[in-house]
Amino acid sequence: MQNRQHQLLNRLNHHQDKVPPFRAVASGQLVRVVGLTLEASGCRAPVGSLCSIETMAGELIAEVVGFDGELLYLMPIEELRGVLPGARVVPLGEQTGLNVGLSLLGRVLDGNGVPLDGLGALQTDQQAPRHSAAINPLSRRAITEPLDVGVRAINAMLTVGKGQRMGLFAGSGVGKSVLLGMMTRGTTADIIVVGLVGERGREVKEFIEEILGDKGRARSVVVAAPADTSPLMRLRACETSTRIAEYFRDLGYNVLLLMDSLTRYAQAQREIALAVGEPPATKGYPPSVFAKLPRLVERAGNGGPGQGSITAFYTVLTEGDDQQDPIADASRAILDGHIVLSRSLADSGHYPAIDIEASISRVAPMVISNEHLEAMRRVKQTYSLYQQNRDLISIGAYAQGSDPRIDNAIRLQPAMNAFLRQTMLDAFSFTDSQVMLGQLAAQCK
Ligand SMILES: Nc1ncnc2c1ncn2[C@@H]1O[C@H](COP(=O)(O)OP(=O)(O)OP(=O)(O)O)[C@@H](O)[C@H]1O
Ligand SMILES: [Mg+2]
């Protein structure tokens, strides 16, 4: 008995990706449609597999998202249209793999990995399984090297390590997408994978044409599922972009994964879970949302020996600039640092609107030199000193000469702001950022 248990556990540990084939029952029929949930009876298919449903216009592909006794709950991947009572439901068996290869670079895909850009089919005969096995935490390489993201305020003050997972926290319209775009142009990462999930459709085009540009696009893969796609398609877009990043990491590349946004991923999972009857828990989010978030995020990071890295940025919407949102809370706990964008900085035209005091990169001390760390600490202290006394200074209640440190902070304020600001088209290398930080720190007393 113990032996059998041992065997099963071993299989779990080593062969998570090899799911044995299941025996699908030929076909069933549709018995009920409630909102976006379809209920079918008479067929047997595992959760996560696809079924084809007969419609007036042909067929519709749906994914099995749950079951209750003999009833299967399905959700359409495409638009739900033309389904009839009693329509035939045919399980499609195992899902096909994801097309991968270097020909993905420069392409725009939908959540399923199918090209959206009208440039024809992907020129590749390689496929990767859609689900990857989790990396054993003990065989992951540690984070030891910085990644140049081309943004001076981040390179200097919030240094990101290769394999780090960062959150970009902000309300709407504060400059998240523009900041991600600046990184795509300025980073030294080999390959960039961008997941645009739950955005307005117009923004997807804007991001690709204006923000990414030709230079950024040549080494990027974009996976887009705008707000009007089904919740399943949005979930899949996050998973597909992560899977593509994993594929390149396993080949040895340093990948930058930009996911805009993690909140929309959580909301898509909430839509699905509530539709199949999972009870809501925190602010309407069912527990499965909080189980799925770390599973997605944990897939980024460094690979094992001989593999590359996935450095990831996930944007997190803080509704009404509320930092206590449950998704923001959960994300902060599972990520290795967060960059907070401030609306008041953006309103005053300070871009990128990074709130240096509220942001932190937990791995920075592990990837930078002692001199860099010391310079960072000095600039941060001087910056904070000004912020703490800002109200007094602005109403004229501070008398110059009362405290030489505050006098110095006031004198350096314009230089610090200029250092933290950057126009959309500029890029500053890691070394340049470091040198400029050193010059600024030398003036901090
Ligand atoms: N570095 C920058 N320099 C100048 N302007 C900027 C910069 N970053 C952002 N902006 C301005 O802020 C606006 C909003 O930026 P962006 O679309 O990136 O915000 P967002 O946070 O992604 O918004 P949403 O929540 O709607 O997706 C831009 O249209 C631009 O005018
Ligand atoms: Mg945006």
Side-chain angles (χ1 to χ4, degrees):
M1 186 65 193
Q2 237 184 4
N3 230 344
R4 168 96 180 115
Q5 237 185 50
H6 213 84
Q7 269 174 11
L8 281 174
L9 281 175
N10 247 335
R11 202 189 67 201
L12 248 174
N13 284 336
H14 296 294
H15 302 286
Q16 276 178 341
D17 51 343
K18 289 188 193 141
V19 182
F22 65 92
R23 237 175 357 94
V25 171
S27 73
Q29 53 181 329
L30 210 55
V31 289
R32 208 158 89 112
V33 177
V34 186
L36 280 184
T37 323
L38 313 171
E39 296 178 13
S41 72
C43 54
R44 186 164 165 265
V47 173
S49 67
L50 299 181
C51 292
S52 144
I53 296 167
E54 169 193 33
T55 69
M56 298 280 288
E59 59 168 8
L60 178 84
I61 305 292
E63 185 177 312
V64 181
V65 288
F67 58 84
D68 181 2
E70 295 290 303
L71 272 187
L72 271 191
Y73 294 137
L74 301 131
M75 271 205 158
I77 290 183
E78 314 145 283
E79 196 187 348
L80 180 61
R81 203 192 298 164
V83 285
L84 298 156
R88 227 159 72 92
V89 179
V90 185
L92 295 175
E94 276 190 79
Q95 285 197 39
T96 54
L98 190 64
N99 287 329
V100 288
L102 281 173
S103 56
L104 281 172
L105 297 178
R107 302 301 302 263
V108 184
L109 314 172
D110 72 4
N112 283 325
V114 177
L116 269 180
D117 48 15
L119 300 176
L122 283 173
Q123 298 300 318
T124 179
D125 49 9
Q126 271 177 286
Q127 286 206 327
R130 284 185 187 263
H131 295 282
S132 59
I135 296 185
N136 180 337
L138 297 182
S139 51
R140 269 186 200 264
R141 275 179 296 112
I143 302 177
T144 52
E145 275 176 75
L147 177 76
D148 186 347
V149 292
V151 178
R152 185 169 52 194
I154 300 180
N155 279 345
M157 301 294 290
L158 299 158
T159 316
V160 176
K162 281 182 189 158
Q164 184 174 8
R165 288 125 353 146
M166 285 289 259
L168 192 57
F169 291 71
S172 58
V174 187
K176 297 181 296 297
S177 305
V178 171
L179 183 56
L180 293 185
M182 285 163 75
M183 292 192 218
T184 58
R185 288 191 303 266
T187 182
T188 54
D190 306 316
I191 285 172
I192 301 147
V193 181
V194 188
L196 298 176
V197 179
E199 294 264 309
R200 288 152 288 215
R202 171 185 60 79
E203 281 193 312
V204 173
K205 192 160 188 276
E206 251 174 46
F207 188 89
I208 295 165
E209 289 178 1
E210 288 165 32
I211 300 185
L212 205 54
D214 289 342
K215 185 172 168 234
R217 201 170 160 183
R219 53 178 181 152
S220 308
V221 187
V222 178
V223 182
D228 58 351
T229 54
S230 70
L232 264 180
M233 203 63 155
R234 279 173 268 149
L235 270 195
R236 281 173 163 247
C238 291
E239 276 146 22
T240 301
S241 43
T242 307
R243 189 69 195 93
I244 291 174
E246 284 175 326
Y247 163 77
F248 286 117
R249 174 194 57 199
D250 295 349
L251 289 181
Y253 292 103
N254 289 312
V255 181
L256 180 63
L257 171 65
L258 305 173
M259 194 79 82
D260 194 6
S261 81
L262 193 60
T263 305
R264 302 284 182 226
Y265 174 76
Q267 288 173 347
Q269 174 61 21
R270 172 171 68 181
E271 272 180 57
I272 295 168
L274 292 179
V276 295
E278 197 184 332
T282 325
K283 278 208 184 163
Y285 286 99
S288 63
V289 173
F290 301 97
K292 267 194 117 99
L293 278 178
R295 232 179 286 150
L296 181 78
V297 168
E298 274 301 317
R299 285 167 57 190
N302 278 338
Q307 296 182 334
S309 62
I310 302 177
T311 312
F313 277 83
Y314 298 94
T315 67
V316 179
L317 264 178
T318 44
E319 296 295 346
D321 294 325
D322 166 20
Q323 298 282 328
Q324 302 312 316
D325 176 84
I327 298 306
D329 259 353
S331 315
R332 212 173 288 120
I334 54 178
L335 294 166
D336 315 313
H338 49 268
I339 291 176
V340 178
L341 298 188
S342 136
R343 188 172 296 280
S344 67
L345 283 177
D347 287 346
S348 66
H350 179 118
Y351 287 112
I354 301 174
D355 181 343
I356 291 293
E357 290 181 284
S359 309
I360 184 168
S361 162
R362 292 188 199 160
V363 309
M366 294 183 248
V367 297
I368 57 176
S369 64
N370 286 341
E371 296 81 61
H372 185 161
L373 193 61
E374 176 58 20
M376 187 192 267
R377 199 182 53 77
R378 285 175 74 157
V379 171
K380 208 165 179 174
Q381 265 176 355
T382 310
Y383 185 85
S384 295
L385 194 63
Y386 180 87
Q387 296 303 327
Q388 284 156 15
N389 293 284
R390 206 169 64 155
D391 292 346
L392 285 181
I393 298 165
S394 60
I395 58 163
Y398 173 76
Q400 214 186 349
S402 328
D403 182 339
R405 284 169 51 243
I406 300 182
D407 289 345
N408 192 46
I410 296 174
R411 192 177 58 78
L412 283 179
Q413 185 60 18
M416 283 193 288
N417 277 335
F419 176 73
L420 297 172
R421 285 161 76 160
Q422 184 170 332
T423 67
M424 276 187 220
L425 298 172
D426 275 341
F428 290 94
S429 73
F430 184 71
T431 324
D432 287 352
S433 312
Q434 233 179 356
V435 170
M436 290 180 203
L437 177 74
Q439 288 163 352
L440 189 60
Q443 301 177 58
C444 297
K445 289 179 186 152

